[in-house]
């Protein structure tokens, strides 16, 4: 049990005309090593929620436990929490500022008190992990392409070697190729380092292939929480809150409606193809 | 910290003051500021207080919200009061310690100066709280219109002002976001001495400048794409018109100024 969120509430600008109740009584548990997709429409509270997980925002009610310890408790070090729970913001490339890529990635580990050599070692490891070649280490981060900048920014958080990595819309504004590259790299990261990953997104299609569990948020509340195929069974309700299930879900549902006895739980194209094949074989046999 | 300054922050509500023409509110604010300097006695300040009180009441903006703007000038307020208190010469010495002394005239000036400053800030805050920045610049452009004859680029100034005002919340939000992103990477903006704090600002300021330039560039491109070419021959979607309530408001304001001048002359 790594992160436990208990009855968390958050209200923006309490007591003014701009008051917004962004989180309403959230209860969640994210165990170690899980790959979680956090999905919701714009303004559903997903970004607000993840900023609570590393203590950047303080809940107006409720508590959050990290490895059993109350993060609002006395003597709890927020700095330590932030080194354990790494958060990559939306458009993280906007936070780059150093003269070259390597120095920028060193910023995190240096803040944690590592020596220059140690920090550089960690930075280089993180850069290789996100697929940035050594030749870019001494280039200015502002000369890179959008996708490269984003990878450098993700490396900037990875270099702190967090136990939990939260990525807020890591693929926003990238072309399909850049998107697949980033997502594949995150999935590989999960395999190689075994860390917990929370992927925030508004696209089911993006996350369906990778995650173990999907949490759907709507208007500050958790609407669905379960393995992808369980969540996609509610595809009609998902549509009502402005989301959509992956296209294969629609295809399989339609096939079934037309009388084909296929397994509608397929979430990826591969699974769908297998399900159709099974059905065809069954019909012949 | 930065959020405490209410200047330029609109407070949405439905009130008579909100509905007034922005030109009326601009003129009223200027007249109010003048009236504060005309007043030099308790009666004058009582009238000014009454006027301000009525306007605040009518505006339906919570009082707590209006006084928020004062936090930013507390230091200035204290400094002015202290200087006036010790440096103004008067006839009756109330207190003496070495070279420091406080006179009746000093106390009087200190108190009145503080009231003047407070009312000045509250008065202009009421204007900005009840008028959207766009209305404000529209009003300003219209009021300064005659100056076009002497080749003052009124439209350009108004446009720059509205862009600047429009960008304040955006840049604040951006600052907040970058700050959070760097804190998530272990940056520390709070502890350390002055030099360390200044150094800690680099990871915040560099991205902020880059983003400000990027946004300015995008905006210029978007304006050009929509054929913006300055103020010549440009019409308004919602031209400003005086309604009867605006005329009434002008009447009230001029009466107020007349009263203040009379009070200043006969009650000192």
């Amino acid at each position: 049990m790594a992160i436990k969120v208990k009855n968390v509430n958050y209200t923006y600008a309490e007591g003014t005309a701009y008051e917004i109740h962004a989180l309403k009584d959230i209860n969640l548990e994210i165990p170690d090593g899980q790959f979680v997709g956090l999905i919701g429409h714009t303004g559903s509270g997903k970004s607000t929620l993840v900023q609570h997980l590393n203590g950047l925002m303080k809940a107006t009610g409720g508590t959050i436990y990290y490895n059993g310890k109350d993060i609002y408790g006395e003597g709890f070090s927020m700095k330590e929490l932030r080194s354990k729970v790494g958060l990559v913001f939306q458009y993280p490339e906007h936070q780059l500022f150093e003269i070259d890529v390597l120095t920028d990635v060193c910023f995190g580990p240096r803040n944690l008190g590592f020596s220059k050599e140690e920090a550089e070692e960690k930075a280089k490891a993180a850069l290789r992990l996100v697929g940035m070649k050594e030749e870019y280490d001494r280039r200015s981060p502002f000369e890179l392409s959008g996708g490269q900048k984003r990878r450098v920014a993700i490396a900037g958080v990875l270099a702190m070697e967090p136990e939990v990595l939260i990525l807020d819309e890591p693929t926003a504004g990238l072309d399909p190729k850049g998107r697949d590259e980033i997502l594949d790299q995150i999935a590989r990261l999960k395999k190689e380092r075994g860390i917990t990953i929370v992927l925030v997104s508004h696209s089911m299609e993006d996350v369906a292939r990778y995650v173990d569990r999907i949490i759907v948020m709507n208007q500050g509340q958790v609407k669905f929480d379960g393995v992808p195929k369980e969540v996609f069974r509610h595809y009609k309700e998902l549509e009502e809150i402005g989301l959509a299930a992956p296209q294969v879900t629609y295809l399989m549902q339609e096939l079934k409606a037309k009388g084909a006895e296929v397994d509608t739980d397929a979430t990826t194209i591969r699974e769908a193809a297998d399900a159709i094949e099974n059905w065809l074989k069954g019909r012949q046999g | 910290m930065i959020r405490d300054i209410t200047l330029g922050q609109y407070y949405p509500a439905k009130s008579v003051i909100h509905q007034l023409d922005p030109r009326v509110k601009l003129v009223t604010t200027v007249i109010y500021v003048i009236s504060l300097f005309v007043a030099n006695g308790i009666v004058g300040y009582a009238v000014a207080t009454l006027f301000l009180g009525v306007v605040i009441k009518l505006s339906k903006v919570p009082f707590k919200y209006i006084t928020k703007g004062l936090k930013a000038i507390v230091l200035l307020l204290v400094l002015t009061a202290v200087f006036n208190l010790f440096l103004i010469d008067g006839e009756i010495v109330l207190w003496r310690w070495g070279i420091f002394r406080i006179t009746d005239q000093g106390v009087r000036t200190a108190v009145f100066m503080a009231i003047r400053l407070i009312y000045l800030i509250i008065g202009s805050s009421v204007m900005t709280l009840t008028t959207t920045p766009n209305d404000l610049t529209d009003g300003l452009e219209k009021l300064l219109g005659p100056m076009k004859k002497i080749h003052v680029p009124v439209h350009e100034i108004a446009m720059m002002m509205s862009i600047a005002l429009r960008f304040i919340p955006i840049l604040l939000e951006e600052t907040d976001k970058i700050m959070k992103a760097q804190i998530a990477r272990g940056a520390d903006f709070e502890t350390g001495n002055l030099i360390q704090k200044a150094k800690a600002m680099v990871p915040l300021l560099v991205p902020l400048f880059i983003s400000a330039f990027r946004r300015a560039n995008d905006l210029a491109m978007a304006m050009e794409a929509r054929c913006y070419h300055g103020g010549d021959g440009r019409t308004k979607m919602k031209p400003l018109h005086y309604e009867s309530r605006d005329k009434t408001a002008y009447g009230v304001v001029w009466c107020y100024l007349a009263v203040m001048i009379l009070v200043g002359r006969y009650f000192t």
Side-chain angles (χ1 to χ4, degrees), chain B residues 3 167-179:
Chain B
R3 267 139 233 278
F167 268 65
I168 290 174
I170 291 179
L171 288 180
L172 272 182
E173 203 177 294
E174 189 93 11
T175 312
D176 192 54
K177 231 162 68 187
I178 297 168
M179 218 162 170

Side-chain angles (χ1 to χ4, degrees), chain A residues 7-14 19-26 45 48-49 51-52 56-62 72 220, chain B residues 180:
Chain A
N7 302 328
V8 163
N9 276 282
Y10 186 78
T11 314
Y12 279 100
E14 217 167 2
E19 188 176 296
I20 299 167
H21 201 164
L23 295 179
K24 296 169 195 158
D25 242 356
I26 303 276
T48 311
L49 176 62
Q51 287 180 39
H52 279 80
L56 276 175
M57 291 176 103
K58 192 174 184 305
T60 38
Y72 302 132
Chain B
K180 274 183 181 163

Side-chain angles (χ1 to χ4, degrees), chain B residues 42 61 80 84 87 112 119 127 168 211 215 233 239 248 266:
Chain B
I42 290 179
V61 180
T80 337
N84 278 313
L87 296 177
F112 283 157
Y119 283 13
M127 177 182 71
I168 290 174
S211 112
R215 281 179 195 284
T248 319
Y266 297 109

